Amino acid sequence: MGAARPRQPYQYARTALVEPDWRRLPGWRDVTEAQWRDAQWQRAHCVKNARQLRAVVGDLLTDDFYEQLAADQAEFATMSMLLPPQMLNTMAADAPAERHAFTAAFLADPVRRYMLPVHADRHRRWPSHPKAERDSLHEAQMWVVEGLTHRYPTKVLAELVSTCPQYCGHCTRMDLVGTSTPQVTKAKLVLRPVHRQELMLDYLKRTPTVRDVVVSGGDVANVPWPQLESFLLRLLELETVRDVRLASKSVVGLPQHWLQPEVLAGVHRVAEVAARRAVNLAVHTHANHVRSVTPLVAEAARALLDAGVRDVRNQGVLMRGVNATPEDLLDLCFALQGEANILPYYFYLCDMIPNAEHWRTSVHEAQRLQEAIMGYLPGYATPRLVCDVPNLGKRWVHQAVGYDRERGISYWTKNYRTELEVRAAGGTPLERRHPYYDPVDTLPEAGRRWWAGQAGQAEWSEQAERAGQPERSGQAELRGRAGRPGRPTLLTTPPTPPAVPTAPTPPAVPAPRPAPTPQTTPEGAR
């Protein structure tokens, strides 16, 4: 007999999408299909607190789960709870109805892990990296007018709104998006939306080098459609704009929004104008696990394409416990590409925000994952795993120019300057190496000891400063950024709003939201 045929590392099998039966949950037993497909019903029945969660799941979750949830919200959560029924319904879809078995399945669910974190999820010793920051990508420092980030030479990010239909626990804009939590008092957009949009459009008129506009927030699904359509049509009047991308998690989290006839009619009107001008109009969404990709998601994506959008693309986040295996990534990508007409585009390493270390992966693990998914999907549908390096921008994970694996510090360079760097006297050398940091718990013992020492030095520095003592050499750089293992200090008072121009005249670069002032807490400071 011949040798057994070896199996592939990943075995593809086409799998049909499934909409879990929401009626399995006690609070939704009488919800009709018409109600479920109604966007306003979905918004009105979002779960925002433990009481509302109990009303939906009844006695299926144990008291211990709610204690863990309350502890996390009090101690760690950087985002408030906001779960559309569509997203909640994808969690523990096949779990038995017995209370303890359901709770175990719910806790293990990958969508739950990033949408509804509990205290036990967080890393006990290193919940935050010592270098974690609220605005970890320094987007607000690159505002040219309020909400308009000009980081790349030809691209801008327009934040029209600071809310979403759902709040993900790992949100990179946790300093601005959503309502405040016990840990974080959020920054605010201070201008009226119409005024902010006028300033954005005026800047783009005066900056013909910008050709690509990402319209985001928050989530554009939370911008009233007439207002969003008006902004998009005016944007399309600019001859220099050649790409417009609408960022909306709601294609996955609230697909009912994009299935509303009035919204689809508006998308069609905008797409017709874009087509006449040969502008590429796309929608970017956010799916992190195959369980969240359902027939309604596929229907919404297909409806957007039929309305004239060129592409619906997915930008996911690589997270431990969610999708950080080749099988999870490929299952998700095949569901998106093959079943839902959504193009896998990027998977970002989870950003270095506070209390996110249990999600974050190391650069070398991301490199291994990128290699492991190659060769299965069509080339155009094989996502790139990218690291969004602070003060630099997106880089493919294999583009690091240096890497200290022991201390988990990778180094990156760029081939362009941000708008602020262009305006700065002398500019910034392009050969400057920008650091990025792996999660401390993924490092070898020597690396963990080194970071513990750095954190201890920073704590001593702060104590010395409070006591009026001189700092030892080399301490100043660490002060306020590295902290001992524990939570970083988060702002408990709102940052000062940025100064912005008051009329659409050529403005100077406004002051961005300031970086949070380091403070000391019993748990230490970052």
Side-chain angles (χ1 to χ4, degrees):
M1 296 178 61
R5 183 176 179 179
R7 288 178 59 85
Q8 298 287 355
Y10 174 81
Q11 196 72 33
Y12 168 74
R14 185 177 181 185
T15 304
L17 303 182
V18 175
E19 202 77 50
D21 185 359
W22 57 87
R23 288 175 285 261
R24 75 188 189 283
L25 298 174
W28 292 337
R29 280 184 181 145
D30 297 324
V31 174
T32 66
E33 183 174 358
Q35 288 175 307
W36 190 261
R37 292 180 63 90
D38 183 79
Q40 295 310 311
W41 185 93
Q42 288 277 330
R43 288 183 185 270
H45 290 83
C46 282
V47 171
K48 302 175 183 177
N49 53 51
R51 177 184 59 80
Q52 293 176 342
L53 181 61
R54 283 183 186 271
V56 172
V57 302
D59 295 328
L60 290 175
L61 291 172
T62 63
D63 292 340
D64 181 66
F65 173 86
Y66 290 104
E67 291 170 6
Q68 287 283 331
L69 180 62
D72 189 78
Q73 291 178 321
E75 192 172 353
F76 288 123
T78 59
M79 298 298 293
S80 55
M81 190 191 306
L82 185 62
L83 272 171
Q86 176 73 25
M87 284 298 284
L88 180 55
N89 189 46
T90 67
M91 303 177 192
D94 300 319
E98 192 276 325
R99 191 182 195 198
H100 288 88
F102 184 89
T103 300
F106 197 75
L107 283 168
D109 188 88
V111 179
R112 194 283 309 165
R113 285 182 182 273
Y114 68 90
M115 288 299 304
L116 193 64
V118 297
H119 193 276
D121 293 335
R122 311 284 180 174
H123 197 277
R124 292 186 179 182
R125 180 169 172 80
W126 297 98
S128 292
H129 195 282
K131 299 286 189 179
E133 296 182 77
R134 285 178 51 136
D135 184 5
S136 66
L137 303 181
H138 306 144
E139 288 180 336
Q141 294 178 18
M142 300 176 196
W143 279 2
V144 288
V145 299
E146 184 185 77
L148 190 67
T149 298
H150 192 173
R151 177 195 287 185
Y152 303 101
T154 63
K155 299 182 285 186
V156 295
L157 168 73
E159 298 170 281
L160 296 193
V161 66
S162 61
T163 62
C164 297
Q166 68 181 50
Y167 292 142
C168 308
H170 60 281
C171 181
T172 191
R173 297 193 184 112
M174 45 73 59
D175 68 315
L176 175 68
V177 170
T179 56
S180 297
T181 72
Q183 288 294 298
V184 186
T185 299
K186 305 290 176 133
K188 301 292 183 184
L189 296 171
V190 297
L191 295 178
R192 294 176 59 231
V194 64
H195 187 191
R196 185 165 57 254
Q197 291 168 25
E198 287 291 342
L199 291 172
M200 290 177 176
L201 291 166
D202 178 70
Y203 178 82
L204 295 174
K205 290 175 185 176
R206 294 182 290 101
T207 315
T209 55
V210 173
R211 63 173 306 284
D212 184 357
V213 181
V214 178
V215 184
S216 183
D219 191 310
V220 295
N222 273 21
V223 180
W225 180 260
Q227 184 186 121
L228 179 59
E229 183 174 351
S230 173
F231 178 79
L232 294 175
L233 291 176
R234 294 185 65 192
L235 189 62
L236 289 170
E237 292 174 359
L238 304 180
E239 292 295 328
T240 51
V241 172
R242 310 309 302 149
D243 281 278
V244 175
R245 295 181 270 172
L246 309 181
S248 181
K249 292 178 289 294
S250 62
V251 177
V252 173
L254 187 67
Q256 293 86 348
H257 171 80
W258 295 104
L259 289 169
Q260 296 176 99
E262 63 273 22
V263 172
L264 286 173
V267 171
H268 180 65
R269 289 190 294 269
V270 173
E272 282 189 323
V273 175
R276 285 199 300 270
R277 288 210 47 241
V279 173
N280 300 308
L281 177 66
V283 172
H284 285 191
T285 192
H286 184 63
N288 292 314
H289 195 271
V290 66
R291 294 185 186 180
S292 64
V293 184
T294 73
L296 270 172
V297 173
E299 187 179 344
R302 183 71 259 168
L304 285 166
L305 294 170
D306 290 344
V309 168
R310 170 178 170 166
D311 284 307
V312 180
R313 307 179 186 127
N314 186 64
Q315 295 188 165
V317 173
L318 192 64
M319 289 180 279
R320 286 189 279 178
V322 177
N323 56 20
T325 70
E327 294 76 18
D328 283 330
L329 287 177
L330 287 168
D331 284 349
L332 171 56
C333 290
F334 278 118
L336 290 168
Q337 167 67 10
E339 311 302 327
N341 291 292
I342 298 174
L343 184 70
Y345 180 40
Y346 280 146
F347 281 96
Y348 290 86
L349 273 66
C350 184
D351 288 322
M352 291 176 53
I353 57 170
N355 300 335
E357 289 302 274
H358 66 293
W359 285 310
R360 294 207 309 123
T361 56
S362 64
V363 168
H364 67 85
E365 179 63 13
Q367 292 172 340
R368 185 190 70 81
L369 287 169
Q370 179 73 84
E371 294 160 4
I373 66 173
M374 300 300 290
Y376 290 95
L377 291 150
Y380 67 89
T382 300
R384 294 169 178 167
L385 273 59
V386 294
C387 181
D388 214 340
V389 182
N391 292 309
L392 189 153
K394 291 185 289 292
R395 282 291 179 265
W396 302 351
V397 292
H398 285 82
Q399 286 186 287
V401 297
Y403 195 1
D404 180 346
R405 287 279 297 272
E406 182 174 290
R407 295 178 178 179
I409 307 175
S410 51
Y411 298 94
W412 312 73
T413 59
K414 61 182 177 180
N415 58 333
Y416 56 85
R417 294 183 176 92
T418 67
E419 184 64 18
L420 289 182
E421 290 170 338
V422 168
R423 297 185 184 193
T428 300
L430 292 180
E431 63 272 14
R432 175 185 172 187
R433 304 204 316 169
H434 298 262
Y436 182 83
Y437 305 96
D438 289 345
V440 177
D441 71 285
T442 67
L443 305 181
E445 178 59 30
R448 295 197 297 271
R449 284 199 307 269
W450 186 82
W451 276 107
Q454 298 293 91
Q457 287 179 343
E459 183 182 6
W460 186 94
S461 173
E462 290 180 357
Q463 291 173 349
E465 185 177 85
R466 292 196 302 273
Q469 300 174 9
E471 293 182 336
R472 292 181 292 187
S473 175
Q475 299 276 307
E477 186 212 353
L478 290 169
R479 176 168 26 89
R481 291 191 295 157
R484 65 181 176 178
R487 299 192 309 277
T489 299
L490 306 181
L491 286 184
T492 54
T493 56
T496 303
V500 294
T502 57
T505 56
V509 178
R513 295 196 306 272
T517 303
Q519 304 175 35
T520 303
T521 71
E523 299 296 330
R526 60 189 165 114

